[in-house]
Amino acid sequence: MKVLVIGSGGREHTLIWKIKKSPLVDKVYCAPGNAGIAQIAECIPLAVSDLSGLLDFACTKSIDLTVVGPELPLTLGIVDEFNRNGLKIFGVNKKSAQLEGSKVFMKELMSKYRIPTAGFRVFTDAQLAKDYVRQKGMPLVVKADGLAAGKGVVVCRKEAEARQAIDEIMERRVFGAAGDKLIIEDCLAGEEVSFLAFTDGKTVLPMVSAQDHKAIFDGDNGPNTGGMGAYSPAPLVDDNLYHKIMERVMLPTVKALAAEGYDYRGVLYAGLMIIGGEPYVLEFNARFGDPETQVIVPRLASDIVPVFQAVIEGKLAEIELNWRTEAAVCVVLAAGGYPGKYGKGDLIGGWDKFDNSGDLLLFHAGTANREGGIVSAGGRVLGITALHHDLKQAIASTYTGIEKIQFKDMYYRKDIGHRAIR
Ligand code: AMP
Ligand code: GLY
């Protein structure tokens, strides 16, 4: 069969690396892809938001299965569009993508169905929001309602920070229409865990747990990024917590979505705060995480393609997932300056020292082919994943792997996985 993957990050490189292992697959395309993906799939220069271009391509090439990586095409309705044209596509429909596309929708759903989450209020008026901040007291979390490329959440320790966040979202409108509404949430203190599951709207098939490191600097300091590294499993998630997460969060959310008439099929990703052994939902995403995918998918022993098909066909109850028992760690190599301003076009050395056949894997994110070699083309440039029975060894192998790579102003965190071995 012919598969098309949409996206261009480390997540998509990992998905394609896994899809290529399936005996069901003859050919993989990726739109738009990156330099690493181009080594294992045919890249098509179509943007993830170019729905008509992607649809044309999938029809012309008779693509048997399309897999969507990022949230943007999901919120634009790519799945509905492909379905209308009789094409099989893995991802949630436009209505369901609201779970990630609107934090107000997400919070109201949780509140209606009593899914544990931080207390919150919704505002459409900046002055009322500021009055509430004054009255409520610090700390608080201010969140733009819509998609803001991971930058629409500000954890505020001081009232001035909250006022500034409200101004930026609602008055200066730095996220555009995403700031028509905002949420002010109680600040939760605990440990974060990412819990992802496949669902066809009825069955919930969990993946192994993971934890990402969102902050740019060691010790989880500095501004948040898309994710600077991850590891799986998250040792915090023992059997007891696993069952609580399934019973209190994952199953009730899928049931709630079904009860509300959403035909939710795809990945349900819960960003959780664990407080005193209890899970609270910080956010839901309607897609695979990045860089969580780089540690979860290499641990999947089963063929991933039948899982995608079963989700699409509503037959997930027939699927069983087998996982490797090794732990996995991924460290992201970023361009110096990220998540602020950073350089592009710097030549990358050492990528050819990875053949991605064993337990040390190189996944490309912001890379591009130029005359003379592969260059950096984004904030997060590469990710290195290692697997090992011993998490400490996995961490050590990842950092040894990094020594093979060079590019100008390469930056990475030195403490990925520190919480797991504490
Ligand atoms: P989100 O995009 O909603 O996951 O928020 C991004 C990050 O902000 C999370 O990974 C947390 O570190 C932090 N965060 C979000 N909501 C809260 C909250 N209610 N309390 C404390 N931290 C939060
Ligand atoms: N790693 C965070 C995300 O994918 O949203």
Side-chain angles (χ1 to χ4, degrees):
M1 62 194 280
K2 288 187 253 178
V3 179
L4 167 65
V5 174
I6 295 174
S8 61
R11 167 181 53 204
E12 288 77 18
H13 191 180
T14 312
L15 288 170
I16 292 170
W17 169 84
K18 181 68 183 166
I19 289 166
K20 291 265 295 185
K21 294 182 184 295
S22 171
L24 301 169
V25 172
D26 307 304
K27 169 98 190 167
V28 182
Y29 298 93
C30 184
N34 60 36
I37 293 174
Q39 292 165 0
I40 57 170
E42 187 175 331
C43 290
I44 312 299
L46 289 170
V48 302
S49 57
D50 181 2
L51 265 47
S52 60
L54 292 165
L55 180 64
D56 264 0
F57 177 80
C59 289
T60 310
K61 292 283 183 192
S62 309
I63 298 293
D64 301 293
L65 170 68
T66 299
V67 178
V68 186
E71 59 277 19
L72 181 61
L74 298 173
T75 57
L76 294 175
I78 191 166
V79 170
D80 312 61
E81 198 62 38
F82 272 50
N83 283 338
R84 267 195 289 279
N85 286 274
L87 292 164
K88 290 208 157 80
I89 181 163
F90 177 84
V92 300
N93 59 27
K94 186 174 183 177
K95 197 173 162 194
S96 300
Q98 276 186 80
L99 190 67
E100 173 162 3
S102 166
K103 293 196 191 287
V104 172
F105 169 76
M106 177 204 303
K107 294 293 286 190
E108 286 174 348
L109 186 85
M110 285 193 277
S111 167
K112 180 166 174 189
Y113 289 89
R114 299 180 185 284
I115 293 155
T117 186
F120 71 104
R121 290 275 293 270
V122 179
F123 293 94
T124 50
D125 178 274
Q127 191 52 50
L128 292 178
K130 288 178 194 169
D131 293 346
Y132 175 76
V133 166
R134 160 137 309 159
Q135 168 213 328
K136 181 86 181 168
M138 293 291 115
L140 286 172
V141 185
V142 178
K143 299 186 173 185
D145 175 45
L147 290 183
K151 296 181 188 114
V153 174
V154 191
V155 179
C156 307
R157 308 273 158 215
K158 301 207 175 88
E159 192 178 322
E161 287 172 301
R163 295 174 71 88
Q164 188 187 344
I166 294 166
D167 278 337
E168 282 183 0
I169 293 168
M170 281 201 152
E171 309 283 356
R172 291 182 44 220
R173 305 188 62 78
V174 293
F175 308 118
D180 286 347
K181 295 184 194 169
L182 62 75
I183 282 176
I184 301 185
E185 220 176 72
D186 298 344
C187 191
L188 302 179
E191 276 209 39
E192 284 183 56
V193 166
S194 301
F195 198 92
L196 287 77
F198 293 102
T199 180
D200 59 2
K202 308 178 292 255
T203 301
V204 180
L205 203 56
M207 301 182 214
V208 285
S209 64
Q211 186 151 358
D212 76 346
H213 291 264
K214 287 203 172 83
I216 184 73
F217 301 128
D218 286 9
D220 296 318
N221 291 307
N224 272 347
T225 68
M228 292 302 292
Y231 54 95
S232 172
L236 193 63
V237 185
D238 57 12
D239 275 358
N240 185 23
L241 181 55
Y242 168 92
H243 284 108
K244 277 188 193 166
I245 295 170
M246 285 300 285
E247 297 301 325
R248 298 194 189 156
V249 176
M250 306 304 283
L251 292 164
T253 302
V254 169
K255 263 197 191 145
L257 287 161
E260 296 284 323
Y262 292 74
D263 186 14
Y264 193 105
R265 295 174 197 223
V267 172
L268 178 65
Y269 162 155
L272 302 168
M273 188 73 91
I274 310 300
I275 309 171
E278 300 295 322
Y280 294 84
V281 177
L282 293 178
E283 64 162 347
F284 283 118
N285 293 316
R287 54 168 174 81
F288 286 102
D290 187 337
E292 287 91 333
T293 301
Q294 289 88 309
V295 290
I296 292 174
V297 167
R299 295 189 60 207
L300 181 61
S302 318
D303 186 348
I304 201 167
V305 173
V307 187
F308 293 142
Q309 291 172 317
V311 166
I312 293 168
E313 287 159 15
K315 293 183 178 162
L316 199 56
E318 294 170 14
I319 298 280
E320 200 180 306
L321 297 179
N322 293 309
W323 298 95
R324 292 180 58 178
T325 51
E326 290 91 338
V329 177
C330 171
V331 177
V332 170
L333 308 180
Y338 172 79
K341 273 180 76 165
Y342 54 84
K344 287 187 190 177
D346 293 311
L347 197 64
I348 299 168
W351 56 266
D352 50 340
K353 296 191 179 119
F354 295 78
D355 69 3
N356 280 8
S357 65
D359 286 343
L360 183 65
L361 305 163
L362 176 70
F363 296 121
H364 289 234
T367 68
N369 280 303
R370 289 286 174 276
E371 245 175 89
I374 291 180
V375 299
S376 63
R380 292 191 289 174
V381 179
L382 297 164
I384 293 180
T385 297
L387 295 108
H388 198 280
H389 277 291
D390 178 18
L391 180 69
K392 274 190 196 153
Q393 280 300 320
I395 294 171
S397 315
T398 310
Y399 283 101
T400 307
I402 290 175
E403 289 169 15
K404 302 181 196 213
I405 296 286
Q406 319 87 38
F407 60 90
K408 187 171 159 264
D409 296 332
M410 176 169 102
Y411 170 79
Y412 59 92
R413 276 183 61 166
K414 313 286 187 296
D415 66 342
I416 300 301
H418 68 96
R419 281 215 212 86
I421 53 173
R422 190 177 50 199

